[in-house]
Structures are given as C-alpha cells and as structure tokens.
Amino acid sequence: MTPELTVAEQAALTSGRDAWHTTPVESAGLPAITVADGPHGVRLQTDPDEMLRGQPATCFPPAVATASTWDPDLLRRMGEALGDECRAMDVAVLLGPGINLKRSPLGGRNFEYFSEDPLLAGVLATAWVSGLQSRNVGASLKHFAVNSQETDRLRVSADVDERTLREMYLSAFKRVITQARPWTVMCAYNKVNGVYASQNHWLLTEVLRNEWGFEGVLVSDWGAVADRVAAVAAGLDLTMPGPDDAGDRDLEEALATGRLDSAQLARAAGRVAALVERAAARLPGDYDQAAHHALAREIACRAIVLLKNDGGLLPLAADGTGTIAVIGEFARTPRYQGGGSSQITPTRLDDALTEITAATAATVLFAPGYLTGDSAAQESAAQDGETEAQEDENLLAEAVALAAASDVALVFVGSEHETEGADRDGIDLPAAHLALIEEVAKANPRTVVILSNGAVLATAPWDITVPAVVEGWLLGQAGGGAVADVIFGRVNPSGRLAETIPLRIQDHPSYLDFPGEHGHVRYGEGLFVGYRGFDAREQEVAYPFGFGLSYTTFGYGQATATATEQGIEIHVPVTNTGERDGREVVQVYVSFPGSAVSRARRELKAFASVPLTAGETKDVVLTIDRDDLAYWDTRLNRWVVEGGEYHCAVGASSRDLRTTAVVEVQGDEVRVPLSADSTVGEWLADPRGEQLLRQALASMPETESGSMARFFADPTLFLFLTGIPLGRLTSVPGSPLTAEAIAKLVAAAG
Ligand code: BGC
C-alpha cells in the first residue's frame, strides 16, 4: 500500500537524500534505502571524500569477460553472489548490469558492457538480474538507452533510425525487462534523437512502460537530469544524486502553474515508495569471501578466449622442468577492471606471476618488460634518474635476454587504461608492448601472448609472429589464478568472442560515424553493427564474433529444425572428438534470404554452452522464440515475422558454420493499407490492389497516346511505372487515371 504523502514529501522522495540513498519520509514510515554500483561487484562508498573507493567486496570479472563465457548459468550464479554481498552490506539496489551495445571498439565503457550482439547481451543480463533479484535485492538495468560512447556523454544526441533502435539498441533492454523484471531501470545521460533520455516520453513511457509493461522505478543516471519537471512528465521517478531542493521546488511550482499534472508526481513518488517497501522485505545476509573468490576465479577461467595455439603449444605441462619466462608488468601488477563508477575495492587480488609460479615445478623467472603508470619498475627508473625511453630500452633488453634463455616465454601485454568518461583513441597496443612482442618472439619461438584489455585490441599483424595468443580481458580479482589454470590446462578454455576483433579500426562498421561532432552522433551503419557489418561487406576480420579455441576439438552432425508455435526448435548432435574434456559453445545464426527488407546476412538467434567429456556426443537442443525472427516494420509501426524459409546455420563461430537446417515458418498476416501514395509496384503486390487496378485499366478507353493497359504490357514501360506512386500517374501524359478514378480505387482497396 502506497502511503499518503504531501506534495513536498512526494517531491523529496523523487530525488535522493545524497549520492547513495533515497530520501526517507518518516511520517509515512519510509526509511532511506541504499543503492550502490555495480555492476561486477558492490561498491559501497562510506567515506564521502573517497570518490571511487568502496568497502572491500568481491571484484568479479567485468562484463567484457563474463560475456565471453556465453553461459547464462554462470551469470545467474554471479548475480546470486552479488545479491548475497548486497545483503551483507545492506544495499537494496545494485546499479547494474550495463547492457548497451558495443557499437565501436573505441567505446570507453565497453569493458562494462557485454556485446555487439543484442541477443547475447540480453540473455546474459537476464540471468544476472534473475540471480541478483532472487536474493531480494533490486537490479538497475542501465543505461537506457543508446549509451554507446563516452565522448560528450552528457549532451550528445544518438541519432538512430527507429528500426535500428528497436532491433539493435533497445532489444536487449526489452528482453531483460520482460523476462527478468528488474526493480529499476537507469536512464542514460545522452539524448536519443534529440531528446535527453531522462526527458524522453517516447522512450520512458510509451516504449518502456506502455509497450513492455515495466512497473518498477525509473532512476536517472547520476546527474543526467537537466530539467526535473520535464523528466517527471516524461516518466522518470527518481533523480540521483540528491538532495535537489531546487528541483523539488520546481516540481511544486510546476504543479501550481499546471505545467505538471499532480497525478504524474504522485505516480513517480508512489513508485519510489513501493521500491522502498519492497526493499524492506530483504533480510540481512552474509557471504563467504573465499567461496566468492573461488566463483570469481571460475568465471574468469570461463571468460578466457584462446585465440591462437599453433602446434598445441598450450597447455604447458605443470610438472615440466626447465625455465618459464614470465614477461610483462601486467603479470605482476594485474589490470583486472576498468576505471570509473564500477571500480571495486577487491577483497584480495591474485596476480598471474605468483599463480604461475605456484602452479608449476618449472623455474619461473620474471622480467617487467615495460613501464606502466603504477609499476615498481617506474619507481626504480625515476630513482636511477633515467628517462622513460632509456628505461623502456633496458627493460626490453632484459626481457629479451630472459626469453632467449628460457624454454617458453609468456608475454603479458595489454591496454594501459580504459575508463568511464573517455573513449579510447585507438585499438593498438602501446608501442612498448608491441616492441616487446616483436623482440621476444624473435628470441624465443615458443612465445605465448596473454592480453589484458577491457575492449578489443588489434592483434594484426603481430599475431602471426607468435604461436599462441590468449585473450585475457579484465578478469577481476581472481584473474591471475584463472590465467594459470588455462596456461597449465587445469581448465580447458571455452570462452568465445562477444565482439569481433577487426584487422584495423578503419574496417569497423562504425568507423566513419564515431563519435560524431557538434552534439550529434549518427548511427550511420544502421542495423549493421559489429559482425553484421563485417558479414554484409564480406570483410576479413582478425577473429570473428563467436570465435574461441579449445584444447580439444568438436564435431557437428546434421542439424534439424522444426517450426513450432513458439518459434523454431533445432537439434544438433555435437561430439567432443579430442582427448580432453571440454566445453563447446554451440551457436545458431539465422538468415532469411527471401526477405522483403534489408537484413543482416546472419544473426545470432540461439546458443548453448555445452560441457562434453572426451569422446562424448550430445544432442543439443536450441530454441528460437518466434518474436526473435521479427523485424520492425516502420510502415505498420509493429513487429512482423515474414513467412518463408529460414536458414538456421549451426557452428562454432559466426564464420565457422558446420551444418544448416532450413525451416518453413508461417508469416504474420500483414496488409499495408493501399493509398494514392502507394507505388504501382505496391498495388500490384497486393492481391486485391492488383485486381482492382487491372480492372480499372482494362475498362478505360484508348486515348490518343495509347492505353495505360498497353503501358503495363510493355516490360520496359512496366518497370518504369512500378516505382511511381499511383496518385502521380495523373500527370503521366495520356494517362486515363484521373484523380477521381484513383480516389475510387483507394476507397475500394480499403
Ligand atoms: C555512471 C553510472 C553509475 C552512476 C553512479 C554514473 O557516472 O554512468 O553507471 O551507476 O554514476 O555511480
């Protein structure tokens, strides 16, 4: 039951008490509740002077890594663990997950987002939210919507056509909202087609609430509200952070002047009150730090993507003798998360150097190889009075000598920093890291490169110089152990790319339209985001979407597909054909060659992460919801499933498709009303329209310049005519189709 509140209380309740609490209304029995970032750990900030430091909490792998697991069960378990930590810290709402599409590899927050594909992002986030909320802790699905860049993030307008918006940028949100019912949704900073997301009635009320049935609280991103009154009128409930006394007064004034309807404010306050009451049902909890660290390690292991492994260099034998050179500061000083609001203070931090040393009987020797901002080597260089360039050269020489004298070289390199608030300026490794790979690879042919990065890094052309490449992303606090697990084969890698690795940034579909200028960014590639764009242009990539190797191999039998009322059901036998137990991520990409609209060549529509012991075969069953076959029809303003043959290609990546099943799907009843503005072609494509038009033409008398019926019989003239709106035929010389005749046709066509 929502309590009775005065207008002043309603206004106060719709903005925060401070950065991390709602405003309490004691008279109504509403306490303050606590919210905290999010998304890969709980950042409970208790010291107001420590901007980005929270209480210690498990730093799970960020979304860039969890997405590479392609495993909703793991994400659910991570959500549950986060829920337990929230309960232990009395946090009612965790500000995550972030599910915006990775439109460009340059996106500064890509490490916080899942994928360039909306199905993958949506399915994983649904599991995360369900896990978290099973603990009676609310999620805050963010950032709604089209928040795919950091440049000018508080003002920029993301200009996107409606079909692209619906099918790509809103799609994951719709899935999570309808399937996992997050308690809250956080609106984005940016504008969408010219209107701030926080004030966008179409987005917040028409789509999110009216179409998708969202009943929770819509909270602003921190500082995203430019005009409180406009925001409440658009459907926003809670402005953060607070307090916002001036905004509260604006609301009261707007009610007095009639700019705002009292029902709108009452509704927003009522929703916040309901959230507070819902949160009160949460019981305090506790969690086992060691168990959560172990879970963080398990997820990190599953996130690692083996990109290259020529000659089976990996895994290394753990009982091996000889010397392993561990090279690169990141092995000792791990990069394990990105910067900004998601920064977690970990309960402990494992590094790869220590974990590798502990995992093997071989001698492990270390050389830092390059300087990083916070490395010990940096300090010693400064003490010795050397320039950075000199120190880099010394470090390189030392690393090369170590590699030459070792049996294998493990080279840890990556991006130096990624942070909220700034996009990246390129996808290349730092020059010192590139030089390190080049020289170490010359010194030791058994060189493995291990990457640490929050977003895609170019692997071309250096990857051809080394036999093995491990994509280690940002793996959270237990990443060091996870890398050791994969290097020594205690875990068989099963991560798959959730984003394409291009050969060059210039090849990327977003390249010409990122990050925009003068307050606007045009989503010029439209539907062709990520792999959809590379596939449409048949462009070569370094590693395709969905790609990842294993220490074993998998074989696919013939797939079969059946149309059901709910959509499509696919069966495919998959066999582990190697000698190690492993896990295959079976992926289904759908094409519809007969489409009447522009479509991606193939789109991910289903996937399953399947454990298979050596030699084992499983019949893998995958389902595609009928809704996921639909495209957004801008003429009808609704989703349409086209009827015809759908090709379901099943395989190990978007470019390694092993078997295809074709299935006939009944289309939706679609009839676009005919008008004078419909083209002759459109009239003829419609059975009733065709009949009426032909009858009308046949009944018309010959004119001096010939009959329109004859025009239609001439194949060239016919082609010429098909693109012309019927109404314009009045101006074709000699046309018997008068405005009156056309009006009659339109009326008859109905
Ligand atoms: C970020 C949000 C975050 C909020 C609170 C904003 O800067 O965009 O993702 O939840 O701050 O820290």
Side-chain angles (χ1 to χ4, degrees):
M1 259 286 287
T2 309
E4 286 293 318
L5 299 167
T6 65
V7 165
E9 285 169 340
Q10 288 176 2
L13 197 54
T14 57
S15 67
R17 180 186 80 190
D18 52 39
W20 308 115
H21 298 92
T22 58
T23 302
V25 184
E26 255 125 57
S27 60
L30 294 172
I33 59 168
T34 307
V35 302
D37 285 305
H40 59 269
V42 186
R43 183 173 69 90
L44 181 63
Q45 188 192 340
T46 43
D47 180 348
D49 297 330
E50 289 277 4
M51 251 278 273
L52 294 176
R53 254 188 100 74
Q55 294 294 311
T58 310
C59 178
F60 289 96
V64 62
T66 57
S68 305
T69 70
W70 291 58
D71 188 349
D73 290 340
L74 263 187
L75 271 286
R76 173 185 301 272
R77 286 170 57 206
M78 177 169 154
E80 289 166 358
L82 287 168
D84 289 339
E85 296 199 20
C86 284
R87 283 170 44 169
M89 293 189 238
D90 196 24
V91 168
V93 174
L94 189 64
L95 304 174
I99 63 165
N100 297 89
L101 280 198
K102 298 188 195 199
R103 175 178 174 240
S104 160
L106 302 177
R109 281 184 104 166
N110 280 9
F111 67 90
E112 272 188 78
Y113 295 153
F114 288 102
S115 179
E116 66 190 26
D117 181 87
L119 180 90
L120 183 58
V123 169
L124 296 179
T126 297
W128 187 105
V129 171
S130 307
L132 179 84
Q133 296 193 164
S134 73
R135 299 308 201 249
N136 253 316
V137 172
S140 196
L141 191 67
K142 65 191 190 183
H143 306 89
F144 191 64
V146 211
N147 181 250
S148 294
Q149 71 180 53
E150 294 301 278
T151 304
D152 202 15
R153 69 169 171 160
L154 274 94
R155 300 181 308 184
V156 73
S157 171
D159 298 338
V160 201
D161 68 88
E162 187 173 356
R163 186 170 165 214
T164 302
L165 251 182
R166 299 270 189 176
E167 290 184 31
M168 300 302 295
Y169 294 93
L170 299 184
S171 159
F173 284 98
K174 181 180 178 196
R175 183 176 304 275
V176 184
I177 283 155
T178 53
Q179 297 185 6
R181 307 200 160 273
W183 291 12
T184 78
V185 168
M186 187 191 294
C187 78
Y189 282 130
N190 51 281
K191 302 180 187 115
V192 178
N193 290 329
V195 183
Y196 278 114
S198 61
Q199 296 169 198
N200 197 317
H201 188 268
W202 177 79
L203 194 64
L204 304 188
T205 295
E206 291 167 46
V207 175
L208 179 68
R209 292 204 190 277
N210 299 352
E211 286 183 31
W212 303 347
F214 176 66
E215 287 172 349
V217 165
L218 246 165
V219 55
S220 74
D221 198 343
W222 269 229
V225 174
D227 176 340
R228 263 301 271 299
V229 177
V232 172
L236 192 86
D237 302 312
L238 177 60
T239 292
M240 290 298 279
D244 180 24
D245 299 339
D248 294 354
R249 279 195 301 276
D250 287 347
L251 288 175
E252 291 186 49
E253 220 175 275
L255 290 181
T257 59
R259 188 180 160 209
L260 189 70
D261 192 298
S262 62
Q264 289 174 309
L265 179 61
R267 230 181 354 244
R271 290 198 195 104
V272 179
L275 174 72
V276 171
E277 282 167 350
R278 187 176 201 178
R282 187 184 71 254
L283 298 172
D286 207 356
Y287 75 99
D288 176 345
Q289 274 192 10
H292 282 198
H293 185 77
L295 176 61
R297 180 164 174 160
E298 184 186 343
I299 299 170
C301 282
R302 296 279 305 282
I304 292 171
V305 183
L306 182 62
L307 293 178
K308 183 171 180 184
N309 193 21
D310 285 359
L313 175 55
L314 293 175
L316 304 180
D319 59 356
T321 49
T323 311
I324 299 175
V326 173
I327 294 171
E329 186 59 49
F330 289 162
R332 177 171 66 176
T333 314
R335 280 216 62 219
Y336 61 102
Q337 63 180 337
S341 62
S342 68
Q343 238 166 277
I344 302 303
T345 305
T347 56
R348 72 181 244 205
L349 181 58
D350 297 345
D351 64 87
L353 177 58
T354 309
E355 296 295 324
I356 288 169
T357 309
T360 175
T363 304
V364 176
L365 296 173
F366 174 70
Y370 50 83
L371 295 170
T372 65
D374 49 5
S375 67
Q378 177 107 332
E379 266 170 42
S380 83
Q383 275 163 15
D384 299 349
E386 282 174 327
T387 64
E388 226 176 278
Q390 278 166 339
E391 183 58 20
D392 262 334
E393 256 176 52
N394 296 346
L395 292 173
L396 178 61
E398 178 201 5
V400 171
L402 176 62
S406 302
D407 298 293
V408 61
L410 306 178
V411 182
F412 288 78
V413 290
S415 49
E416 273 173 328
H417 34 243
E418 281 111 335
T419 182
E420 173 183 341
D423 287 322
R424 305 158 77 213
D425 56 10
I427 61 169
D428 289 331
L429 279 166
H433 298 212
L434 287 169
L436 188 65
I437 296 174
E438 190 180 336
E439 295 304 320
V440 170
K442 277 190 218 152
N444 191 327
R446 285 162 51 85
T447 291
V448 181
V449 171
I450 298 114
L451 296 171
S452 298
N453 48 309
V456 158
L457 281 174
T459 52
W462 57 260
D463 60 342
I464 52 170
T465 67
V466 294
V469 182
V470 175
E471 177 52 271
W473 305 121
L474 305 178
L475 291 174
Q477 68 177 47
V483 168
D485 288 341
V486 165
I487 297 272
F488 293 107
R490 290 189 298 224
V491 167
N492 188 351
S494 61
R496 301 290 185 264
L497 294 179
E499 49 200 301
T500 308
I501 304 183
L503 286 167
R504 314 175 309 156
I505 186 66
Q506 291 85 340
D507 295 343
H508 202 272
S510 64
Y511 182 68
L512 294 176
D513 282 317
F514 184 94
E517 63 207 357
H518 303 159
H520 287 267
V521 52
R522 199 172 67 92
Y523 281 41
E525 73 283 15
L527 298 166
F528 298 92
V529 180
Y531 68 88
R532 288 165 166 82
F534 288 106
D535 287 349
R537 296 204 182 99
E538 296 183 355
Q539 254 170 321
E540 245 191 90
V541 299
Y543 298 96
F545 178 80
F547 177 82
L549 298 172
S550 163
Y551 296 150
T552 185
T553 46
F554 300 97
Y556 286 70
Q558 176 60 50
T560 54
T562 11
T564 65
E565 232 167 74
Q566 290 75 37
I568 300 177
E569 187 173 300
I570 295 146
H571 286 247
V572 62
V574 182
T575 305
N576 180 341
T577 49
E579 275 152 26
R580 275 173 186 267
D581 297 350
R583 188 179 268 275
E584 174 69 325
V585 177
V586 181
Q587 303 162 38
V588 182
Y589 293 87
V590 170
S591 329
F592 186 63
S595 182
V597 292
S598 157
R599 287 206 186 215
R601 183 170 275 206
R602 61 186 79 92
E603 295 185 279
L604 181 73
K605 292 295 178 195
F607 60 91
S609 171
V610 186
L612 288 161
T613 55
E616 188 186 9
T617 299
K618 274 188 190 149
D619 184 37
V620 180
V621 184
L622 303 118
T623 55
I624 301 173
D625 283 347
R626 185 177 165 86
D627 287 353
D628 288 332
L629 298 173
Y631 77 92
W632 180 260
D633 193 309
T634 46
R635 299 163 307 175
L636 300 165
N637 220 15
R638 72 167 169 90
W639 294 100
V640 170
V641 175
E642 290 181 279
E645 284 188 342
Y646 285 77
H647 294 228
C648 305
V650 186
S653 89
S654 61
R655 293 208 172 166
D656 181 9
L657 299 164
R658 312 278 184 88
T659 168
T660 299
V662 177
V663 60
E664 178 81 25
V665 171
Q666 266 320 100
D668 289 341
E669 282 285 326
V670 172
R671 186 153 187 272
V672 183
L674 291 170
S675 68
D677 207 34
S678 308
T679 62
V680 171
E682 285 161 358
W683 275 82
L684 294 177
D686 181 280
R688 171 111 182 105
E690 182 186 14
Q691 194 196 15
L692 287 167
L693 185 57
R694 288 202 187 281
Q695 268 172 12
L697 291 169
S699 67
M700 282 174 183
E702 287 268 334
T703 62
E704 257 174 46
S705 52
S707 80
M708 188 62 87
R710 224 178 305 131
F711 280 18
F712 275 77
D714 179 316
T716 311
L717 280 173
F718 178 73
L719 277 181
F720 174 78
L721 286 174
T722 48
I724 300 179
L726 197 66
R728 305 290 176 83
L729 288 186
T730 51
S731 55
V732 173
S735 168
L737 283 172
T738 58
E740 202 190 4
I742 288 171
K744 270 196 199 145
L745 277 173
V746 172

